[in-house]
Amino acid sequence: EKAKVFEKIKSYEKAIAIYRESLEIDDESAFVHWRIGRCYERLEKYTDASNSYQMSLKHDVLFEKSWLAVIDLNLKIEDLEKAKIFTEAAIELDDENPLYWQRLRDVSVCLKDWLRINQASKMLISFGELQLKNWLIWADAAIDAGDPVFAIDLLLRAEEYHSNRYEIDYRLAGLYFSSLQHNEKAVYRLQSAMINRFDKVSLFQKMFPMLWSNPNVQKYITDYKNRLHD
């Protein structure tokens, strides 16, 4: 308890010293090694933090907090290959933990590994992790991978759980405009998104910069903007 007090007041060196005293009594405490790792991480001593997390796992290979900590640490310092190795090791031990699959998805997004993103996203949805963020990350990856049809399918599935969301409508508008076959759907989605959150129209610009400069698209946006001021 005393060490936690020092953590709260950000006296991490003192907290580490107290935790190490407790290890003299019980060196096999995965929890204590994890707490030490957290302190080192806050001190930006990342090598020491990683070693502490791995020591924690040595004493309890199923200790979730340390798996997540060592993965997140490597994501933070952008050592993506190590993050991937730790994530895959965690999943090998417990492939029914959605937090591990979420980390694999996030690591794979950084690595632009579409196959892994797809695999991890499928698993997350199968676990009932139906948050909008999970659908959007999956759909955006499909767009980046050059599969707009699949991206549309994912966004329509997301809409079953998250209706009237500008994040979905702006994406569908861009995808429909890009297909050149669904102009009416594209206009409907763009208008729906602008009615919902016109202040977020920059999302459309960011995701579809070529479309943004299209005169027809600009006309729809300008006409709506003018109606707001009428």
Side-chain angles (χ1 to χ4, degrees):
E1 292 299 324
K2 189 175 180 181
K4 290 181 182 178
V5 171
F6 280 120
E7 275 194 74
K8 287 182 180 179
I9 63 174
K10 300 183 179 180
S11 294
Y12 300 119
E13 295 283 8
K14 289 182 179 179
I16 289 170
I18 295 171
Y19 283 131
R20 292 211 173 279
E21 287 177 10
S22 71
L23 289 177
E24 293 177 7
I25 301 171
D26 179 13
D27 184 48
E28 296 185 1
S29 173
F31 178 78
V32 173
H33 283 291
W34 168 71
R35 299 293 302 211
I36 291 173
R38 278 163 44 98
C39 291
Y40 277 130
E41 188 168 347
R42 283 165 172 75
L43 291 168
E44 298 185 358
K45 295 183 178 181
Y46 298 133
T47 299
D48 290 330
S50 181
N51 290 339
S52 294
Y53 295 143
Q54 291 179 70
M55 182 61 70
S56 171
L57 293 169
K58 180 179 178 181
H59 293 305
D60 183 356
V61 74
L62 297 177
F63 193 59
E64 178 189 277
K65 290 181 183 294
S66 286
W67 279 116
L68 297 176
V70 75
I71 294 165
D72 290 344
L73 172 61
N74 281 285
L75 274 171
K76 181 196 294 187
I77 64 176
E78 298 183 353
D79 192 337
L80 300 178
E81 287 303 325
K82 274 191 180 179
K84 180 181 178 182
I85 290 169
F86 283 120
T87 306
E88 290 177 343
I91 289 173
E92 189 172 340
L93 287 167
D94 182 4
D95 63 1
E96 295 185 358
N97 187 325
L99 293 176
Y100 295 160
W101 286 103
Q102 179 189 323
R103 295 311 193 280
L104 180 62
R105 190 271 315 277
D106 293 345
V107 171
S108 300
V109 166
C110 294
L111 291 170
K112 300 187 183 302
D113 185 343
W114 163 240
L115 293 178
R116 280 299 211 183
I117 297 170
N118 194 41
Q119 177 194 16
S121 297
K122 282 181 180 178
M123 292 300 294
L124 284 170
I125 297 303
S126 74
F127 289 134
E129 299 293 325
L130 302 172
Q131 300 91 331
L132 180 59
K133 176 183 177 181
N134 290 335
W135 291 105
L136 295 179
I137 291 174
W138 196 2
D140 290 350
I143 294 171
D144 291 342
D147 195 344
V149 174
F150 186 49
I152 290 172
D153 178 65
L154 290 173
L155 292 167
L156 293 176
R157 288 170 61 191
E159 197 169 42
E160 296 175 13
Y161 305 97
H162 306 279
S163 60
N164 196 33
R165 294 300 297 257
Y166 73 89
E167 301 96 324
I168 294 175
D169 281 329
Y170 278 127
R171 285 170 169 83
L172 285 173
L175 290 165
Y176 285 141
F177 274 126
S178 298
S179 73
L180 304 178
Q181 298 175 356
H182 303 286
N183 192 64
E184 288 185 7
K185 288 184 178 181
V187 173
Y188 170 78
R189 289 292 181 172
L190 181 59
Q191 290 178 340
S192 177
M194 290 191 295
I195 290 170
N196 193 355
R197 291 294 299 271
F198 183 72
D199 61 314
K200 297 293 184 180
V201 72
S202 58
L203 173 63
F204 184 87
Q205 180 183 15
K206 178 182 177 181
M207 294 197 67
F208 306 98
M210 295 296 290
L211 284 173
W212 179 262
S213 59
N214 182 296
N216 291 329
V217 172
Q218 274 300 311
K219 186 176 186 305
Y220 292 126
I221 295 171
T222 302
D223 286 351
Y224 181 79
K225 187 177 182 180
N226 290 338
R227 287 200 299 273
L228 287 177
H229 297 292
D230 287 344

